[in-house]
Amino acid sequence: MNLISTTAELAEACTRLAQHPFVTVDTEFLRETTYYPKLCLIQLASPDEAVLVDPLAPDLSLDPFMALMGDPNVVKVFHAARQDLEIVWMIGKLIPAPLFDTQVAAMVCGYGDSVGYEQLANDLAKARIDKSSRFTDWSRRPLTEAQLAYAESDVTYLRDIYLALAADLAASGRETWVAEEMAVLNSPGTYEVKPENAWLRLKGRIRKPKELAALIELAAWREREAQHRDVPRQRVLKDDALMDIVQRAPRSTEALGELRSVPNGFERSRAGGEVLAAIERAQALDPQTLPKLERERGRAANGAVLDLLKVLLKATADAERVAPKIIASSDDLEAIAFDDEAQVPALQGWRREVFGEKALALKNGSLSLRVVRGRVTVG
């Protein structure tokens, strides 16, 4: 299969693809050495054809591709779409719509949590995928025939997977369940990384307000530095070093240099000076302005309740024949264990009907769990 490498070829292909009710989409990218993903290949397929696009071609504009992604008459089908959508958003500040994620749909249809593409291809398209090219360098040219065949299979079998899952959802009347999940993927906020929120990735490892203040300042500094240099966060400062600085709060170059997790010489660098400045800013913050650490206290006080909610979730998922993850996350369960009015997805929409009301009833003593013939039942 030839790679599309000119704008004219891409425009012609996208015009053909747009004549169909849906198009399957996948991307290959690299981000091991960069902060932002480097797009290396785009795969597209309609019921009639599959095309591969070379975004690294020097004379290629992706405008026709972006127009197709924004076409309201064509459903864009991805599997585990989040990273692909992040790339499309990064390139064109556009989120493909209408959107269908087969991984989300498969969870609603009872295929388990975060089911892989290979499993669905085997179960629904009766195909076996050669994974040997999965972790190759997609930025090198020319791509091999094996790479091209693997890339094409990521969108050709996706057609059968989509049709099977869409039919299953229609039969069960659960299209709206998937639609609610698509709302998260359709939100620009899902892909906009704000340095001031970077601390949320590591918040479970701190306990004291002063530590939280330092974490907020240091995580934001690291995020901005990684974005500016276009390198992974860990290349700027590893997580263990960042957390060590948070907990020790060094106030001088010498104190920073004494931390074993910090690279040699880091304390004398520009970055070392900025880290010390971040610690100073954190020390000056009013603890009353910081986010609350209630969830940690809630977890300790409601461990038994949390365990019961996990059992209830498993029983509910089995009864509904859906993946537990699509109903409630571990964060949802912890929040419910601590607060009956927690603002979490499990207490909203269809999830509240299926699980949330039962969770609150169990927590407050008006619902019980029993074991009948080896199975947990709700009563």
Side-chain angles (χ1 to χ4, degrees):
M1 173 173 283
N2 293 325
L3 279 174
I4 289 177
S5 58
T6 69
T7 305
E9 290 177 312
L10 179 58
E12 291 175 3
C14 288
T15 297
R16 295 193 305 272
L17 294 168
Q19 303 307 308
H20 297 274
F22 73 90
V23 60
T24 56
V25 192
D26 190 34
T27 65
E28 303 296 344
F29 56 90
L30 298 176
R31 70 184 315 167
E32 286 81 1
T33 61
T34 60
Y35 180 89
Y36 298 103
K38 179 181 180 181
L39 180 61
C40 300
L41 189 67
I42 300 172
Q43 305 102 283
L44 300 162
S46 71
D48 288 350
E49 65 174 319
V51 298
L52 303 181
V53 183
D54 184 2
L56 301 181
D59 299 322
L60 178 72
S61 167
L62 290 178
D63 287 349
F65 168 73
M66 298 304 298
L68 177 62
M69 293 298 96
D71 189 331
N73 299 313
V74 182
V75 176
K76 271 64 70 174
V77 181
F78 294 80
H79 180 81
R82 184 160 181 159
Q83 287 188 308
D84 300 304
L85 299 180
E86 178 188 356
I87 291 174
V88 176
W89 174 257
M90 181 187 71
I91 294 171
K93 291 296 182 284
L94 178 147
I95 298 174
L99 175 67
F100 189 97
D101 188 328
T102 55
Q103 186 175 73
V104 173
M107 288 194 285
V108 172
C109 293
Y111 285 88
D113 285 343
S114 303
V115 60
Y117 179 70
E118 290 82 6
Q119 179 185 332
L120 291 179
N122 183 64
D123 292 349
L124 299 177
K126 308 305 178 187
R128 301 189 70 85
I129 296 176
D130 180 1
K131 303 178 185 178
S132 60
S133 297
R134 185 174 185 179
F135 297 110
T136 56
D137 185 350
W138 293 100
S139 68
R140 298 185 65 178
R141 296 294 185 269
L143 295 173
T144 67
E145 289 299 319
Q147 285 177 305
L148 295 175
Y150 172 83
E152 183 181 5
S153 71
D154 275 349
V155 286
T156 51
Y157 299 133
L158 191 55
R159 297 177 296 201
D160 294 330
I161 293 170
Y162 165 65
L163 292 172
L165 292 174
D168 195 338
L169 291 170
S172 65
R174 291 179 173 175
E175 295 100 328
T176 57
W177 292 25
V178 175
E180 286 192 26
E181 283 297 304
M182 293 303 99
V184 176
L185 292 175
N186 280 318
S187 170
T190 302
Y191 313 102
E192 293 176 340
V193 180
K194 297 181 179 180
E196 61 268 28
N197 294 331
W199 67 277
L200 293 168
R201 298 173 180 273
L202 299 160
K203 62 180 178 179
R205 299 170 62 180
I206 52 96
R207 294 293 183 268
K208 302 174 183 177
K210 285 293 185 182
E211 292 177 352
L212 177 59
L215 179 62
I216 291 172
E217 289 292 335
L218 283 170
W221 167 81
R222 184 176 71 166
E223 200 75 20
R224 288 191 294 268
E225 184 73 4
Q227 291 173 344
H228 175 71
R229 291 164 49 188
D230 192 20
V231 296
R233 299 175 187 89
Q234 301 292 328
R235 291 280 185 93
V236 175
L237 192 66
K238 292 187 179 298
D239 285 352
D240 60 346
L242 188 148
M243 295 306 301
D244 203 8
I245 295 170
V246 164
Q247 291 163 358
R248 299 284 292 277
R251 308 291 292 274
S252 67
T253 300
E254 293 74 20
L256 180 59
E258 289 173 358
L259 301 182
R260 295 180 61 184
S261 57
V262 173
N264 289 334
F266 178 85
E267 71 278 8
R268 297 186 300 274
S269 67
R270 173 190 59 83
E274 293 177 355
V275 163
L276 290 173
I279 292 293
E280 292 300 324
R281 291 195 300 272
Q283 294 293 323
L285 288 176
D286 181 355
Q288 298 301 317
T289 67
L290 298 173
K292 303 300 181 184
L293 294 174
E294 293 176 339
R295 285 183 50 203
E296 282 71 24
R297 294 196 296 273
R299 226 180 351 252
N302 293 280
V305 175
L306 181 58
D307 288 341
L308 286 174
L309 291 177
K310 290 178 180 178
V311 175
L312 175 64
L313 175 60
K314 179 64 168 59
T316 302
D318 288 346
E320 297 290 339
R321 296 184 179 180
V322 300
K325 185 177 179 180
I326 202 72
I327 297 176
S329 68
S330 57
D331 285 348
D332 288 354
L333 298 184
E334 291 170 5
I336 294 170
F338 185 68
D339 182 2
D340 284 7
E341 298 182 0
Q343 297 301 305
V344 293
L347 292 182
Q348 300 170 11
W350 67 266
R351 291 177 178 83
R352 186 180 185 103
E353 296 178 13
V354 169
F355 172 76
E357 292 292 350
K358 295 176 184 175
L360 295 176
L362 176 65
K363 177 184 172 184
N364 293 297
S366 58
L367 182 143
S368 62
L369 299 176
R370 298 192 299 272
V371 177
V372 179
R373 297 188 182 92
R375 293 177 61 88
V376 175
T377 62
V378 180

